[in-house]
């Protein structure tokens, strides 16, 4: 059995209004039904645009957010239904590294105090001397001088602060660490060091990671499995190599096309998919496939009406797209591709009106008029 | 079973230890920066002078502040006043008392009113705000309800114009110096309450609090040893600023005749109030207490603003 398993996890934030009585006027569907499993000792990479719910999902695992629905099964126990105090004790085994290294450290606590906090909360170490010894070991492990103990967060560089954040998690000897964009606040030159550190300690301490990132480049090398999120749900999940070799979901392909390739020849010929429109608001997600307002492959049946399930397409590759197979073998082409395609839908005069599709908000109406002929960028429509 | 109590004891121990070892550096650093600020130095000097005056003023005073020693030289009905002269540096007041002695002695009452009123506002306000903030950050439906009730009350107080509130308090309690202190203090309660609650909420939503929750630190410890210490600096700054307002508001209440009914006891606000009747004939009688009030209020404001800057973690080098 997997060490960590999420079953249909939903986190909906109520939108409250009203001066005297709190009235719930709607919900932000930040995480809307995510199922995934993470094997012990592996790294699960979670990617997606900012605002798609990665942080919320990561926090839901530690129950730092209330879970609206679903199960978070860790080592055979459903965390979602645990009483608060028991959940608190489980946090020794599930730790988190935060995106903002400085913000996640109390400015008034020195390093020793920051690193002892968790041990004190879980009754680790008989006295402060014993804890201090342990802290020194961990500091050495993450590459910080032991003289750091009496210093304060603001006295360190960004990379060092993130090392402190990692040390704070490691000192509890957890099983799972959720790393929420652990390097996106750091200089590019330091990012690799911190990623390497995470890999090193994973090996030496037998850790299981969930690494969150907003682009594929960061998680590519360290992840065993990668899940791609869009608007609160997973759209594709596959072993890392497979995902890179054969991205199946249109959204993943768009994400990948945004990553430049060092080889100039490949770079020139690689697929470039520009997504039209903005990320829809998670407070009113589109019907059917969440991606249909921006999908270049959108079809006029199913896409706007039925929500695609994650389906296994072989080799542990799961895709949530009604037309994954057709897109993969070229039976369906992108609406903005320069090579003219035979329209798969019923022939119509829709190609005479490309302008309406520019606005993502109108796209669902335009869908009824033959989306395969949509031309989001009039410049390429010649 | 004993391990549980041990754990709690150790936790308490750790609280005590980190309190002293953590806050220190930040305060030391803030103090260092405060020392290099001109604003702070000037403010501190003015305040120091004022405090010294308040303590030793009565001994420094060359004459009695209450005895109408020169009452035969002043005829206020005819507009005959005595200005500064060798014996009486600030001249005589309308009853023939030495104005300089009254000024020196008056500093004590003025400081007392300001400090007691602010202490009252600070204590009650911080308790209410702290209760509200703690209830809300400790979470739960009950916490939210406690917060709502307390804050509605506070907002009601805040909605009343401060002078009106103070006058109402004074009307209920009668005319005395204690009344002025309470009235001025009551006006400050909602300010401190809102400030501390707001600061606690802001800290409660910060990443380091989330991190502490992720670590498994108990909520109560998060509130009292992480959120609260980080929320105090704006409140302390506000206290300094409030001292300035308190002195002015106390003067205003005295001016309106709600202060000490015994006009013999000098207090700057009362002196200012009494001088207005004779402003045409003896404007300087208004100028001395007014300058005293303005300069001390300015001193507290300067120090308060400098402290705000020194304690702002965002401005830290
Ligand atoms: N506490 C909250 N209350 C209401 N909405 C929230 C809250 N936290 C996050 N959200 C919303 O949920 C969505 C997902 O946010 P987040 O999980 O931070 O995304 P990501 O980490 O992928 O950038 C966003 O639209 C965000 O505005
Ligand atoms: S289901 Fe339709 S809209 Fe969604 S990704 Fe697949 S083709 Fe695009
Ligand atoms: Mg995020």
């Amino acid at each position: 059995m997997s060490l960590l398993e999420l079953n249909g996890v939903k986190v909906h934030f109520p939108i409250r209004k009203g001066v005297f009585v709190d009235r719930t006027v709607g919900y932000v569907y930040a995480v809307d039904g995510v199922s995934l499993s993470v094997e012990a000792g592996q790294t699960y990479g979670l990617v997606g645009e900012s605002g798609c719910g990665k942080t919320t999902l990561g926090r839901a695992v530690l129950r730092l957010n209330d879970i609206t629905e679903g199960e978070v099964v860790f080592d055979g126990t459903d965390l979602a239904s645990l009483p608060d105090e028991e959940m608190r004790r489980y946090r020794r085994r599930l730790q988190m590294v935060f995106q903002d290294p400085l913000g996640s450290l109390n400015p008034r606590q020195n390093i020793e105090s920051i690193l002892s906090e968790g041990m004190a909360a879980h009754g680790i170490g008989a006295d402060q001397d014993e804890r201090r010894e342990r802290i020194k070991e961990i500091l050495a492990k993450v590459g910080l001088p032991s003289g750091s103990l009496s210093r304060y967060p603001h006295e360190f560089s960004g990379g060092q602060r993130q090392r402190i954040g990692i040390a704070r998690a490691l000192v509890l000897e957890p099983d799972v660490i959720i790393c929420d964009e652990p390097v996106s606040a750091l200089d590019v030159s330091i990012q690799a060091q911190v990623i390497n550190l995470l890999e090193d300690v994973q090996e030496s301490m037998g850790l299981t990671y969930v690494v969150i990132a907003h682009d594929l480049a960061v998680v590519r090398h360290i992840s065993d499995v990668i899940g791609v999120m869009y608007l609160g749900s997973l759209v594709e999940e596959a072993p890392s190599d497979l995902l890179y070799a054969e991205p199946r979901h249109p959204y993943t392909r768009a994400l990948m096309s945004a990553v430049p390739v060092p080889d100039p020849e490949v770079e020139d010929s690689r697929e470039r998919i520009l997504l039209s429109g903005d990320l829809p608001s998670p407070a009113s997600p589109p019907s059917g496939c969440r991606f249909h307002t921006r999908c270049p492959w959108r079809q006029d049946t199913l896409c706007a009406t039925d929500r695609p399930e994650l389906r296994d397409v072989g080799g542990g590759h799961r895709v949530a797209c009604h037309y994954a197979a057709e897109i993969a073998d070229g039976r369906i082409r992108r609406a903005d591709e320069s090579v003219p395609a035979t329209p798969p839908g019923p022939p119509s005069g829709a190609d005479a009106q490309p302008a309406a599709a520019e606005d993502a908000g109108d796209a669902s109406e335009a869908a009824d008029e033959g989306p395969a002929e949509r031309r989001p960028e009039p410049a390429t429509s010649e | 079973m004993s391990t549980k109590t041990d754990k709690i004891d150790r936790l308490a121990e750790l609280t005590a230890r980190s309190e002293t070892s953590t806050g220190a550096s930040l305060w030391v650093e803030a103090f260092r920066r405060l020392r290099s600020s001109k604003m702070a130095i000037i403010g501190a000097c003015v305040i120091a002078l004022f405090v010294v005056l308040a303590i030793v003023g009565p001994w420094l005073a060359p004459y009695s502040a209450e005895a109408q020693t020169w009452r035969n030289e002043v005829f206020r009905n005819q507009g005959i006043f005595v200005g500064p002269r060798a014996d009486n540096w600030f001249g005589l007041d309308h009853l023939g008392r030495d104005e300089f002695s009254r000024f020196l002695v008056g500093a004590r009452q003025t400081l007392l009113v300001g400090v007691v009123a602010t202490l009252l506002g600070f204590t009650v306000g911080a308790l209410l705000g702290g209760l509200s903030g703690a209830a809300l950050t400790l979470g739960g439906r009950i916490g939210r309800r406690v917060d709502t009730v307390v804050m509605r009350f506070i907002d009601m107080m805040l909605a009343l114009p401060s002078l009106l509130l103070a006058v109402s308090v004074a009307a209920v309690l009668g005319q005395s110096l204690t009344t002025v202190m309470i009235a001025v203090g009551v006006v400050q309660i909602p300010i401190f309450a809102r400030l501390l609650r707001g600061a606690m909420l802001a800290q409660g939503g910060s990443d380091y609090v989330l991190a502490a929750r992720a670590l498994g630190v108990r909520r109560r410890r998060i509130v009292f040893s992480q959120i609260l210490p980080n929320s105090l600096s704006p409140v302390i700054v506000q206290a300094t600023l409030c001292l300035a307002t308190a002195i002015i508001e106390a003067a205003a209440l005295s001016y309106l005749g709600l202060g000490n009914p015994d006009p013999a006891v000098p207090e700057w606000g009362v002196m200012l109030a009494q001088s207005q009747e004779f402003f045409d004939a003896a404007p300087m009688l208004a100028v001395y207490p007014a300058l005293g009030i303005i300069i001390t209020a300015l001193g507290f404001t300067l120090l308060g603003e400098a402290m705000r800057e020194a304690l702002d973690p965002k401005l830290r080098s």
Side-chain angles (χ1 to χ4, degrees):
Chain A
M1 199 185 56
S2 317
L3 181 60
L4 181 65
E5 224 177 276
L6 273 55
N7 293 325
V9 171
K10 295 186 180 177
V11 180
H12 299 169
F13 295 111
I15 305 169
R16 292 214 172 88
K17 277 225 178 94
V19 186
F20 290 101
V21 241
D22 281 351
R23 211 156 32 88
T24 300
V25 293
Y27 291 92
V28 176
Y29 300 90
V31 173
D32 205 18
V34 170
S35 303
L36 56 85
S37 53
V38 186
E39 304 300 324
Q42 294 213 320
T43 299
Y44 190 102
L46 197 61
V47 287
E49 275 169 282
S50 124
C52 72
K54 308 179 297 292
T55 297
T56 307
L57 182 65
R59 290 180 183 174
V61 172
L62 274 86
R63 272 210 11 219
L64 298 172
N65 290 328
D66 289 334
I67 298 170
T68 311
E69 205 182 301
E71 290 180 329
V72 176
V73 183
F74 168 69
D75 201 12
T77 310
D78 178 19
L79 302 179
S81 59
L82 279 185
D84 284 351
E85 174 58 17
E86 265 179 71
M87 182 61 222
R88 189 188 71 75
R89 276 188 248 128
Y90 260 95
R91 293 198 178 121
R92 190 196 66 71
R93 302 181 60 192
L94 289 146
Q95 275 299 303
M96 190 148 188
V97 170
F98 293 85
Q99 177 172 4
D100 173 7
L102 184 57
S104 63
L105 302 170
N106 185 343
R108 268 172 223 280
Q109 280 186 307
N110 63 21
I111 305 312
E112 177 176 351
S113 174
I114 288 174
L115 296 186
S116 333
E117 197 79 65
M119 287 196 276
H122 296 286
I124 301 171
D127 53 23
Q128 189 60 23
D129 289 338
E130 208 177 306
R131 289 190 199 123
R132 194 176 299 123
E133 282 316 302
R134 183 151 168 185
I135 289 169
K136 281 182 182 161
E137 277 168 40
I138 296 288
L139 282 184
K141 205 169 232 165
V142 300
L144 285 170
S146 59
S148 314
L149 279 184
S150 58
R151 293 168 65 193
Y152 288 80
H154 68 265
E155 301 174 47
F156 294 87
S157 70
Q160 287 175 319
R161 286 173 194 150
Q162 196 56 297
R163 284 169 199 268
I164 297 168
I166 293 169
R168 169 171 61 186
L170 292 180
V171 88
L172 295 179
E173 297 188 344
D175 300 320
V176 175
I177 300 184
I178 315 265
C179 306
D180 186 3
E181 310 213 18
V183 296
S184 60
L186 305 178
D187 284 352
V188 180
S189 55
I190 295 162
Q191 292 189 348
Q193 294 174 17
V194 172
I195 293 284
N196 287 342
L197 171 66
L198 285 173
E199 281 195 294
D200 290 348
V201 294
Q202 176 170 41
E203 195 147 314
S204 64
M205 297 179 73
L207 298 165
T208 305
Y209 284 153
V210 175
V211 178
I212 296 171
H214 62 259
D215 67 79
L216 283 155
V218 171
V219 291
R220 167 157 203 181
H221 298 290
I222 55 167
S223 304
D224 298 292
V225 177
I226 292 179
V228 180
M229 261 183 100
Y230 185 80
L231 265 193
S233 43
L234 279 180
V235 293
E236 181 163 13
E237 180 194 75
S240 178
D241 294 339
L242 194 54
L243 188 86
Y244 277 88
E246 294 172 37
R248 302 290 286 272
H249 195 281
Y251 179 63
T252 315
R253 289 174 70 161
L255 269 190
M256 293 255 242
S257 80
V259 181
V261 183
D263 183 339
E265 232 167 84
V266 182
E267 170 69 21
D268 282 347
S269 63
R270 82 190 162 93
E271 180 182 48
R272 276 195 192 74
I273 304 166
L274 284 174
L275 292 181
S276 55
D278 294 325
L279 189 69
S281 159
S284 51
S287 62
C289 174
R290 297 273 139 107
F291 190 52
H292 85 254
T293 54
R294 298 167 82 191
C295 179
W297 281 272
R298 187 194 55 201
Q299 301 298 304
D300 44 1
T301 45
L302 291 176
C303 288
T305 52
D306 290 37
R307 198 167 168 191
E309 295 280 316
L310 264 185
R311 273 190 303 259
D312 203 317
V313 294
H317 198 153
R318 299 197 293 159
V319 187
C321 170
H322 296 300
Y323 297 99
E326 287 86 341
I327 292 170
D329 53 26
R331 268 183 284 154
I332 298 178
R333 282 178 186 277
R334 257 157 61 200
D336 58 346
E337 246 169 344
S338 36
V339 188
T342 22
S348 69
D351 51 352
Q353 30 167 290
E358 266 297 304
D359 186 349
D362 290 339
S364 54
E365 288 152 47
D368 306 328
E369 299 165 23
E373 300 298 323
R374 234 170 95 235
R375 292 187 179 115
E377 286 128 19
T380 62
S381 64
E382 289 314 307
Chain B
M1 273 296 100
S2 76
T3 55
K4 190 167 181 186
T5 51
D6 283 352
K7 241 188 272 175
I8 294 170
D9 285 351
R10 274 206 302 278
L11 213 62
E13 216 173 279
L14 192 77
T15 318
R17 191 172 303 142
S18 57
E19 288 295 275
T20 48
S21 66
T22 59
S25 155
L26 213 72
W27 286 107
V28 168
E29 202 193 324
F31 184 68
R32 190 175 50 71
R33 288 199 298 156
L34 213 53
R35 261 192 342 207
S36 59
S37 146
K38 266 199 206 93
M39 236 162 72
I41 306 267
I42 296 175
C45 286
V46 170
I47 293 166
L49 195 73
F50 177 52
V51 171
V52 168
L53 204 61
I55 295 168
V56 302
W59 288 289
L60 281 186
Y63 307 103
S64 156
E66 297 180 23
Q68 304 175 5
T69 320
W70 294 275
R71 66 175 162 277
N72 300 331
E73 296 178 36
V74 176
F75 304 95
R76 54 193 146 133
N77 297 337
Q78 284 120 53
I80 298 174
F81 285 85
V82 177
R85 60 187 185 185
D87 278 350
N88 313 94
W89 293 356
F90 283 6
L92 302 176
D93 79 348
H94 62 289
L95 293 176
R97 295 172 294 203
D98 180 40
E99 178 76 3
F100 184 58
S101 298
R102 288 184 66 74
F103 181 81
L104 291 184
V105 175
R108 174 177 289 186
Q109 296 292 334
T110 305
L111 180 69
L112 200 68
V113 173
V115 168
V116 172
T118 304
L119 267 181
L120 177 80
F122 180 91
T123 313
V124 179
L127 277 176
L128 284 174
L131 170 75
S132 212
L136 203 58
T137 30
L138 279 170
R141 190 175 295 259
I142 299 171
R144 265 216 302 279
R145 188 130 328 148
V146 169
D147 173 68
T148 310
V149 170
V150 174
M151 286 330 281
R152 287 292 165 268
F153 177 67
I154 292 299
D155 285 346
M156 236 165 57
M157 284 178 76
L158 210 53
L160 286 172
S162 62
L163 206 56
L164 188 68
L165 188 59
V167 170
S168 327
V169 173
V172 173
L173 293 178
Q175 187 189 12
S176 79
L177 205 61
T178 322
T179 298
V180 174
M181 292 180 191
I182 294 177
V184 173
V186 164
V187 169
Q188 297 183 353
I189 290 175
I191 300 173
F192 284 110
R194 274 220 84 94
L195 197 66
L196 182 59
R197 173 182 177 271
M200 285 180 76
L201 285 197
Q203 297 294 331
S206 68
D207 268 10
Y208 73 82
V209 167
L210 195 75
R213 287 219 290 138
L215 277 181
V217 180
R218 289 178 177 81
R219 276 190 184 250
R220 214 166 314 150
R221 177 169 163 81
I222 294 178
V223 169
F224 291 107
S225 82
Q226 303 221 22
I227 295 181
L228 205 56
N230 273 301
S231 310
L232 279 180
S233 49
V235 185
I236 290 169
V237 170
Q238 184 63 41
T240 319
L241 296 172
C242 266
L243 267 167
T245 341
I247 288 171
I248 293 171
E249 278 187 354
L253 289 186
S254 300
Y255 184 86
L256 292 176
L258 297 163
N260 196 339
D262 178 5
V265 182
E267 193 269 324
W268 291 351
V270 180
M271 287 164 69
L272 187 62
Q274 288 168 343
S275 72
Q276 67 148 357
E277 225 179 291
F278 326 106
F279 189 76
D280 287 339
M284 288 311 280
L285 288 185
V287 171
Y288 302 125
L291 270 183
I293 292 168
I294 291 170
I295 290 173
T296 32
L298 192 69
F300 281 113
T301 309
L302 282 177
L303 184 68
E305 291 293 346
M307 266 166 66
R308 193 208 299 282
E309 274 175 26
L311 280 169
D312 189 343
K314 282 188 210 81
L315 298 173
R316 214 180 299 144
S317 49

